[in-house]
Amino acid sequence: MTDVNTVLDQAGLTNEDVRAYVNEWFAVTGAERVEVVSAADDARLIQVALDNGDLLPAGEGSYFSRSYFKDTARAEERTIVATSDEADKGIYNNWKPSSEMKPKLVELMTGASAGKTMYVIPYLMAPAGSPLDKFAAGVELTDNVGVVLQMIRMARVGVDYINHLGNDFVRAVHVTGDLPNLGQGTPDDKRYFVTVADERTILHFGSSYGGNALLGKIAHGLRQGSYDGWKNGFLVEQFMLLGITDKETGTKHNICGGFPSASGKTNLAMTLSPDALGDRYHVEFYGDDIAWIWVDENGVLRGFNPENGVFGVAKDTNEHTNPTAIESIKPGLGVIYTNVAYNEKTQEVWWEGRGEKPTDLDGWLDWKGARIADRTPEQADENWAHPNSRFTTTIANVPNAAEQWNDPAGVEIHGIIFGGRTRDREPLIRAINDLAEGVYDGLTLGAEATFAADGLEGVLRYDPMSMRPFMSYGEGDYAQHWLNVVGKAKNNPIFAHVNWFQRGEDGRFLWPGYRENLRPLLWLMQYRNGEVTGVETPVGVIPTREELNLEGLDEQTLADLDTILTIDVKRWQQEMGYRKEHLEQFTNVPAEIWEAHNRVAKALEG
């Protein structure tokens, strides 16, 4: 068996607290070997993964991985936040006492890495040197080389990030487990994904996929981070972050925002200017999934994307919907594809929405590894790629990545937006001037539930700030924390709600979306700066047709503007009842939030 301390010495890992942690879990998991990794090990470990079959070549400098067929997404019902204080319990965080969960995980992990290598991944979920460094450092221990390769792309990896921090690091232990024998989705399900938030410890057992296994990303970057932020005065949110520069005036604005699933967050984060406006406006990418936000010593709201990469959903990603993403996954960039369709002869990959489906089926395998050519007529319409298939690339590969994306000081935030997919009631954009009403709007953010799934056609599935799956403490305390943090900002950050998905009676979208979504954001910044006034409504300020930059839009879109720039009062009055029910399930909701709700409801009645 490996002499752990000798390996740590050779790797230059000098942090005594980290060394003790590695020794402890090496003994628990029963791993045969230990290896400390850094970003410099990527090429060597890629070859290891190719040699053992964990990766397959997907063209020049790109790679394909296939996860176990029952291990393809986050498992919210198995994801738990554990602490020693029941006051941390919320509606969405699936709280359990740490005294119950820690022994359970230790038992499951004991001896579960026998015969395997324990990889030690020292990482940082922040630009190095930021004011939040001590909250961003972690050490993941994993027995899966594929997880190492994904983490190298998604975080900053190396011992220099943690050697100087003493005990200020997140302990993140990942054990894959025997995937075919874990009872996924049955009463005997053995998987547990636990964040022991008040001990800054993450224990995940029973997966090798995405947020279940890349512990720096969701478990640390969102759940643990948000708990740390609550206790230390900053926000951690599932937000995109982009920058818009007016090339004529030189002014720049940065906007962050939360969007529930399938509401356009990644496409907006990676958007470009519309062709008609490209000569004047340049859009920069900071991040598509997470933002850490704080108020600096000058009262300026600032934020950064803690990630080093993009873990994007492949489905429907193409040159029209997201040309930036397509550029960032070109051959030769070290991209890893997961659970897409793969051609074992040509090494091509494909997914639904990528383009025309290949007609020559020779060599094509679906995401489970089954031959497409062998499908029966009944199977002809089944997906080739999993709907949650992914690509992993680094921000350095994103062509319009902002120069400041890795700045430890972060960037000033001028706007905070929320947007859920809904076919009616929500206009294209509505600005919100009041802090409490802005936070209230985020708490009542939702996207339409489908009738088939929920039996409630047109009713929203609420997803506060888009953090529903990632909450680490109670929702009322969360709302108060938002009021406290943003309330300190003196740089006038403005809230808004956007909706790209209104439909006409014939079912067609009334707004073209994608790159055209820059237009309402430009109006929002003009409104913030006092350059336009908009029209007051009970739910916020909406633009007039004349205030929007409409250059280059087609006649049909111009005709539809009257619909998407109006408020359906009756539909909103109905919505307020649903919002009230939603908020009533939470404890400790601040009085300011209820006052905001009542103000909006009264204005709608008037």
Side-chain angles (χ1 to χ4, degrees):
M1 183 176 287
T2 298
D3 181 338
V4 174
N5 287 322
T6 298
V7 173
L8 301 183
D9 288 342
Q10 292 170 344
L13 202 165
T14 59
N15 186 316
E16 292 298 333
D17 293 289
V18 174
R19 292 169 69 99
Y21 153 69
V22 173
N23 273 280
E24 174 189 359
W25 282 97
F26 184 75
V28 170
T29 61
E32 184 172 320
R33 299 167 297 277
V34 65
E35 183 176 332
V36 181
V37 300
S38 74
D41 293 309
D42 186 62
R44 177 179 61 81
L45 293 174
I46 286 282
Q47 191 59 53
V48 169
L50 289 169
D51 291 344
N52 67 22
D54 285 340
L55 289 182
L56 296 173
E60 178 193 353
S62 299
Y63 310 96
F64 166 74
S65 70
R66 182 183 294 120
S67 65
Y68 180 61
F69 76 98
K70 294 182 180 180
D71 185 32
T72 57
R74 285 184 291 102
E76 291 182 21
E77 73 282 1
R78 306 301 299 172
T79 303
I80 291 163
V81 172
T83 68
S84 58
D85 187 353
E86 192 171 358
D88 295 335
K89 183 176 183 178
I91 296 297
Y92 297 135
N93 69 348
N94 202 9
W95 181 89
K96 301 286 185 186
S98 53
S99 58
E100 172 189 337
M101 297 313 303
K102 286 171 58 183
K104 187 185 295 288
L105 268 294
V106 170
E107 180 181 357
L108 287 167
M109 291 176 168
T110 296
S113 298
K116 296 183 177 181
T117 298
M118 171 187 278
Y119 294 99
V120 180
I121 313 172
Y123 67 84
L124 189 67
M125 295 299 293
S130 86
L132 303 180
D133 259 10
K134 73 175 185 177
F135 305 109
V139 179
E140 176 167 4
L141 309 179
T142 181
D143 56 10
N144 189 297
V145 69
V147 170
V148 178
L149 294 169
Q150 299 269 7
M151 279 291 289
I152 285 174
R153 284 151 181 76
M154 294 305 300
R156 300 149 184 87
V157 175
V159 297
D160 290 343
Y161 294 118
I162 52 93
N163 270 339
H164 64 291
L165 289 175
N167 202 34
D168 283 330
F169 69 96
V170 169
R171 291 156 168 79
V173 184
H174 165 251
V175 173
T176 304
D178 183 10
L179 295 176
N181 295 295
L182 296 180
Q184 293 94 336
T186 73
D188 297 321
D189 201 327
K190 295 179 175 62
R191 298 172 300 159
Y192 282 97
F193 310 119
V194 179
T195 298
V196 188
D198 56 353
E199 297 183 24
R200 308 194 73 227
T201 295
I202 299 165
L203 304 173
H204 280 210
F205 175 82
S207 176
S208 64
Y209 181 83
N212 301 334
L214 313 181
L215 302 190
K217 181 172 173 55
I218 299 300
H220 182 173
L222 282 174
R223 289 192 194 92
Q224 182 63 58
S226 66
Y227 192 90
D228 287 342
W230 177 39
K231 299 297 185 181
N232 295 278
F234 60 96
L235 296 170
V236 166
E237 306 297 328
Q238 194 201 16
F239 278 9
M240 66 91 214
L241 177 59
L242 60 75
I244 305 168
T245 299
D246 184 332
K247 291 186 279 189
E248 285 188 9
T249 66
T251 58
K252 180 175 180 180
H253 296 98
N254 303 304
I255 299 173
C256 66
F259 296 74
S261 294
S263 294
K265 176 165 62 73
T266 295
N267 287 341
L268 179 62
M270 304 184 92
T271 196
L272 303 171
S273 289
D275 287 337
L277 306 183
D279 288 342
R280 177 164 182 182
Y281 296 102
H282 174 62
V283 185
E284 292 179 312
F285 173 86
Y286 287 99
D288 72 317
D289 203 35
I290 305 176
W292 288 22
I293 300 166
W294 71 100
V295 176
D296 70 14
E297 63 276 9
N298 297 314
V300 175
L301 192 69
R302 306 190 72 84
F304 58 59
N305 167 22
E307 299 187 288
N308 190 58
V310 178
F311 186 63
V313 175
K315 185 178 186 296
D316 292 330
T317 300
N318 57 55
E319 285 81 355
H320 172 64
T321 62
N322 197 334
T324 303
I326 295 299
E327 283 292 305
S328 72
I329 57 176
K330 292 193 302 186
L333 298 180
V335 176
I336 299 176
Y337 297 97
T338 304
N339 292 339
V340 297
Y342 178 72
N343 191 306
E344 62 182 351
K345 294 186 177 180
T346 66
Q347 300 179 0
E348 296 173 275
V349 295
W350 186 86
W351 54 83
E352 277 70 23
R354 178 65 185 93
E356 292 296 321
K357 187 177 288 185
T359 54
D360 182 356
L361 304 185
D362 186 33
W364 280 104
L365 308 175
D366 69 14
W367 67 273
K368 293 182 180 179
R371 295 191 180 282
I372 303 291
D374 293 343
R375 287 186 168 183
T376 65
E378 292 77 19
Q379 296 171 315
D381 293 333
E382 292 182 7
N383 285 338
W384 286 25
H386 191 278
N388 196 39
S389 58
R390 298 281 177 156
F391 59 84
T392 311
T393 190
T394 63
I395 292 178
N397 292 335
V398 177
N400 66 330
E403 290 184 9
Q404 293 175 283
W405 79 265
N406 204 29
D407 188 334
V411 295
E412 180 175 358
I413 291 175
H414 303 91
I416 301 169
I417 62 175
F418 303 109
R421 176 186 287 262
T422 176
R423 65 180 53 236
D424 62 12
R425 114 199 62 180
E426 282 290 358
L428 179 63
I429 187 168
R430 53 185 177 87
I432 302 167
N433 294 304
D434 180 77
L435 169 62
E437 288 185 20
V439 175
Y440 162 74
D441 192 75
L443 287 174
T444 53
L445 171 64
E448 283 181 346
T450 61
F451 181 81
D454 299 275
L456 298 168
E457 187 172 13
V459 176
L460 301 185
R461 178 186 186 268
Y462 292 109
D463 187 352
M465 313 289 191
S466 75
M467 282 288 285
R468 179 172 173 153
F470 314 114
M471 288 283 192
S472 58
Y473 57 101
E475 292 79 6
D477 292 331
Y478 177 74
Q480 186 62 59
H481 187 51
W482 260 87
L483 293 171
N484 294 345
V485 173
V486 183
K488 295 177 183 176
K490 300 175 183 177
N491 64 317
N492 189 33
I494 191 164
F495 287 88
H497 197 108
V498 299
N499 179 26
W500 325 131
F501 301 102
Q502 273 214 52
R503 291 180 183 262
E505 292 182 0
D506 58 0
R508 64 185 171 79
F509 288 112
L510 301 181
W511 178 251
Y514 303 117
R515 293 164 67 177
E516 308 301 342
N517 295 337
L518 184 68
R519 299 173 190 267
L521 300 186
L522 293 173
W523 173 84
L524 180 64
M525 292 299 99
Q526 289 178 310
Y527 177 72
R528 172 188 179 270
N529 297 336
E531 299 166 25
V532 294
T533 58
V535 177
E536 291 277 358
T537 79
V539 295
V541 178
I542 60 176
T544 66
R545 173 190 289 262
E546 293 73 26
E547 290 173 346
L548 283 171
N549 187 328
L550 305 176
E551 180 185 350
L553 288 176
D554 61 54
E555 291 186 8
Q556 183 63 65
T557 299
L558 295 174
D560 290 334
L561 277 174
D562 289 340
T563 301
I564 63 176
L565 294 180
T566 56
I567 300 295
D568 184 338
V569 173
K570 288 187 177 180
R571 197 77 168 90
W572 266 96
Q573 288 171 340
Q574 178 189 48
E575 170 65 18
M576 296 305 289
Y578 296 137
R579 288 185 169 198
K580 184 172 183 288
E581 293 176 7
H582 166 65
L583 290 177
E584 283 176 338
Q585 67 184 319
F586 305 140
T587 59
N588 301 324
V589 174
E592 296 96 319
I593 300 301
W594 279 116
E595 290 165 3
H597 172 85
N598 293 334
R599 279 197 304 274
V600 174
K602 184 177 180 180
L604 285 164
E605 292 300 326

